[in-house]
Amino acid sequence: MNTLSFPQITVSYKDADASKRVRIRSSKESYDILKTFYEDCMQHHEECWAMYLNGAGRLLGVSCVSRSGMNSTVVDIRIVLQTALVSHASGIILSHNHPSGSTVASTPDNNLTSQLKKGCEAIGIQLLDHIILTEDTYLSYMDEGMLLI
C-alpha cells in the first residue's frame, strides 16, 4: 500500500505473438511499412513515426511521435527514447514525411538525427536509420552514409 504523498509510476508493455514479428532487413522494407502510417498526411502536414526493433531486427512496434504543421514537426527525443525503453527495443528507425515531395534533408532534420543518435548511444540503443518519406520515394540516412557523422 502506497502511504506516501506522491503517485506510484508503473510501466507496462504487452507483446504480440513474437513468432509473427516482421524482420526489417532494408530501408525499402522500412519505407514500405511506414508509408501506410502516412497515408492521411503525406501531402498535407508533417508527422514523425518511429519503429522499434529487437536485437534480431524484428519489429516490436510503431509509434507516432508527433503531428504538426505543413513544413515541420516537433520531435521530443525523450518520447522516442522512452518508448524504446518501455518496449525493450535494441534499435530505432525514425521517420518523417515531407509533404513538399522533396527528399532533401534539412538542417533541422540533420540536427534531430544527430541529437537522437547521441541520446541512443547514451542508453545503449542503436539509431538504425532516419527515413524521410514522400509519396513516391524516400531518403535513408543509413543508405546515404549520413548516420556515420
Side-chain angles (χ1 to χ4, degrees):
M1 180 166 140
N2 184 1
T3 59
L4 303 174
S5 62
F6 53 86
Q8 177 182 359
I9 297 171
T10 62
V11 177
S12 67
Y13 169 73
K14 295 187 180 182
D15 196 4
D17 186 351
S19 67
K20 295 181 181 178
R21 289 188 201 144
V22 174
R23 176 173 275 148
I24 305 297
R25 294 186 171 105
S26 70
S27 60
K28 175 74 167 96
E29 289 178 350
S30 298
Y31 172 74
D32 290 341
I33 291 169
L34 287 164
K35 190 174 177 184
T36 62
F37 293 93
Y38 291 92
E39 286 178 353
D40 294 335
C41 72
M42 189 62 80
Q43 296 179 1
H44 305 110
H45 64 274
E46 284 197 19
E47 292 187 2
C48 179
W49 290 75
M51 299 173 81
Y52 298 93
L53 291 85
N54 69 12
R58 295 200 179 270
L59 185 59
L60 296 170
V62 179
S63 176
C64 181
V65 176
S66 69
R67 291 183 171 100
S68 293
M70 303 268 304
N71 300 323
S72 66
T73 188
V74 177
V75 177
D76 190 329
I77 291 170
R78 295 170 298 181
I79 293 172
V80 177
L81 297 176
Q82 174 191 31
T83 306
L85 290 170
V86 169
S87 64
H88 303 270
S90 295
I92 299 170
I93 298 173
L94 188 71
S95 69
H96 77 280
N97 66 312
H98 279 180
S100 67
S102 170
T103 56
V104 175
S106 67
T107 299
D109 295 341
N110 294 334
N111 291 341
L112 168 64
T113 305
S114 176
Q115 290 172 3
L116 181 58
K117 184 176 178 187
K118 287 176 188 174
C120 285
E121 289 170 351
I123 59 173
I125 294 175
Q126 264 192 300
L127 177 59
L128 300 169
D129 207 345
H130 181 174
I131 296 177
I132 298 174
L133 297 91
T134 70
E135 203 158 35
D136 301 319
T137 191
Y138 67 97
L139 169 86
S140 162
Y141 273 67
M142 180 56 80
D143 292 353
E144 298 298 320
M146 297 167 69
L147 281 180
L148 303 175
I149 299 169

